[in-house]
Structure formats: C-alpha cells, structure tokens
Amino acid sequence: QAVVTQEPSLTVSPGGTVTLTCGSSTGAVTSGQWPYWFQQKPGQAPRTLIYDTSNKHSWTPARFSGSLLGGKAALTLSGAQPEDEAEYYCWLSYSGTKWVFGGGTKLTVL
Amino acid sequence: EVQLVESGGGLVQPGGSLRLSCAASGFTFSSSWMSWVRQAPGKGLDWVAIIKQHESEGYSADSVKGRFTISRDNAKNSLYLQMNSLRVEDTAVYYCAGGPGGYWGQGTLVTVSS
C-alpha cells in the first residue's frame, strides 16, 4: 500500500512564498500519477486548486502553481494572503486503479 | 454551472446497508471519471472508490473492498455507492467528486452507530 507524505504544518508570512510538497513511498512522483491539490477550509467541502500536476481551475488564484520538484509534486503559493490559511491535500493515482491522499498540510498565514 | 449533489446519508446500525447517490449536472458526465471520497470527523480525506467513464466496474480502496460498490448510470447523470456490512469506522462525510478538473459536492453524512 503506497503512502503519500505531506508536511503536517507550514507557516508563511503575509505576502511570502511557501512550497508544499507531496511525496510517494514508491519513488519519484511523475506526471502519470496526475497529481491533484485540494484546499479545504473549516466546515467546507474541499475544492480542487490544481489538477494533472499544474492545471488550474477558473477559481484558482494566480498566486498558486503546481509542479514536479525534486521527485515530488509541489504546490507553490507566491504572495500569501490571509484567506489562504487552510488545509491542503494532495492526491496521487497508482496505475489508475488506486488513489491515495496525503495526510494534509495545515497552512498558517502569520 | 457544475453541480454535484449527494443524497442518501443517514444513521445506520453496524452491519447495515446504505446507498448513496450523486446527481451531476453542468458537464458531460459520461466523459468523466467519478469518485467517492470520505472524511471522518476531524480527520483527513480518504479515497473510497473510482469508476471510469463507460465502465460497469470500478476500483476501491482496500478498506472497503468487498463491502462497497461504486456504479454509475450515464443516462441519468448519476453516481452511486452501495455500502454493505457497514462498520463504526465508516462514519464520515461522503463526497462525490469528478468532472473535468475535479469538482466536489457538499457531502452527505453517514453515521454508523448502535
């Protein structure tokens, strides 16, 4: 059973830049695992920020970007805003038959 | 406007069954992979099952294999999750997710308790 790892918590200053990462116990994360990034605020359903590594939704703020970095999937936030404080989850596909979420990163903007 | 609306949640005793439904609109449902994801109270997201566009069978997490079955009716733009032999640890909000780029419903709460 693959394990997907994320930083449990990160803190960023308003206007600052932070990178959240998503690693796989099976090796380097590839674009073929179609990495997704989701944002969830307390009491709300998750929403997709990034799909297929780097694609954005119409509602995804331009300050968010997705990439592959050092064998991991990465979500970079450039110019953090107070409203970006949330839990962030990544999601990876394994051969299209198993999908695994990371444990989530609690991002604090302070 | 894309909408995913779940229904069918509720309180059920251990060992019981429930069938969740998800009504989709605003996108070409038949062209999209669809998935069920759950979230236990205070916990992270947990993938349950996924079904491809035109397949009658899907793929499920080991924790629910043999108990939960995902299905779809493309003529009705609907996704389903049949949940049998429910356990206390299946208590969670169940979300329907899918469509181009991944849309999410608001979730339906399933509580397994005696």
Side-chain angles (χ1 to χ4, degrees):
Chain A
Q1 173 79 354
V3 176
V4 176
T5 55
Q6 297 182 244
E7 298 85 0
S9 63
L10 290 170
T11 299
V12 61
S13 300
T17 296
V18 64
T19 297
L20 289 64
T21 67
C22 176
S24 172
S25 63
T26 62
V29 175
T30 70
S31 59
Q33 293 181 271
W34 307 323
Y36 277 68
W37 289 94
F38 308 103
Q39 179 191 63
Q40 188 178 34
K41 296 182 179 179
Q44 296 183 14
R47 69 168 185 170
T48 304
L49 287 180
I50 300 289
Y51 63 97
D52 296 351
T53 305
S54 59
N55 293 296
K56 300 182 185 182
H57 266 291
S58 56
W59 57 71
T60 305
R63 58 185 179 272
F64 288 95
S65 63
S67 65
L68 294 177
L69 197 64
K72 297 182 179 182
L75 176 70
T76 299
L77 170 58
S78 303
Q81 301 296 310
E83 60 265 31
D84 299 329
E85 192 162 289
E87 193 86 24
Y88 292 84
Y89 295 93
C90 69
W91 197 35
L92 298 178
S93 166
Y94 292 86
S95 303
T97 60
K98 288 235 181 288
W99 292 74
V100 182
F101 281 99
T105 295
K106 182 177 175 59
L107 182 66
T108 300
V109 180
L110 189 62
Chain B
E1 179 196 6
V2 171
Q3 279 199 312
L4 296 173
V5 180
E6 303 95 336
S7 60
L11 175 64
V12 62
Q13 292 189 335
S17 298
L18 273 180
R19 188 192 195 209
L20 304 184
S21 299
C22 172
S25 60
F27 66 99
T28 307
F29 180 78
S30 60
S31 299
S32 298
W33 292 44
M34 297 297 298
S35 191
W36 288 99
V37 175
R38 66 184 180 182
Q39 187 170 35
K43 302 296 185 182
L45 300 177
D46 183 32
W47 172 70
V48 174
I50 197 164
I51 188 166
K52 295 182 181 179
Q53 296 92 322
H54 298 290
E55 295 193 358
S56 58
E57 292 186 27
Y59 307 95
S60 57
D62 291 343
S63 58
V64 305
K65 193 164 290 185
R67 300 188 299 124
F68 292 11
T69 302
I70 188 171
S71 63
R72 64 191 298 161
D73 186 335
N74 289 338
K76 295 182 178 180
N77 287 348
S78 292
L79 179 72
Y80 306 102
L81 185 67
Q82 178 66 45
M83 304 188 296
N84 298 330
S85 303
L86 281 159
R87 305 168 180 169
V88 171
E89 55 265 34
D90 295 319
T91 294
V93 174
Y94 284 73
Y95 295 102
C96 165
Y103 290 86
W104 291 72
Q106 286 303 302
T108 186
L109 176 62
V110 172
T111 303
V112 185
S113 174
S114 54

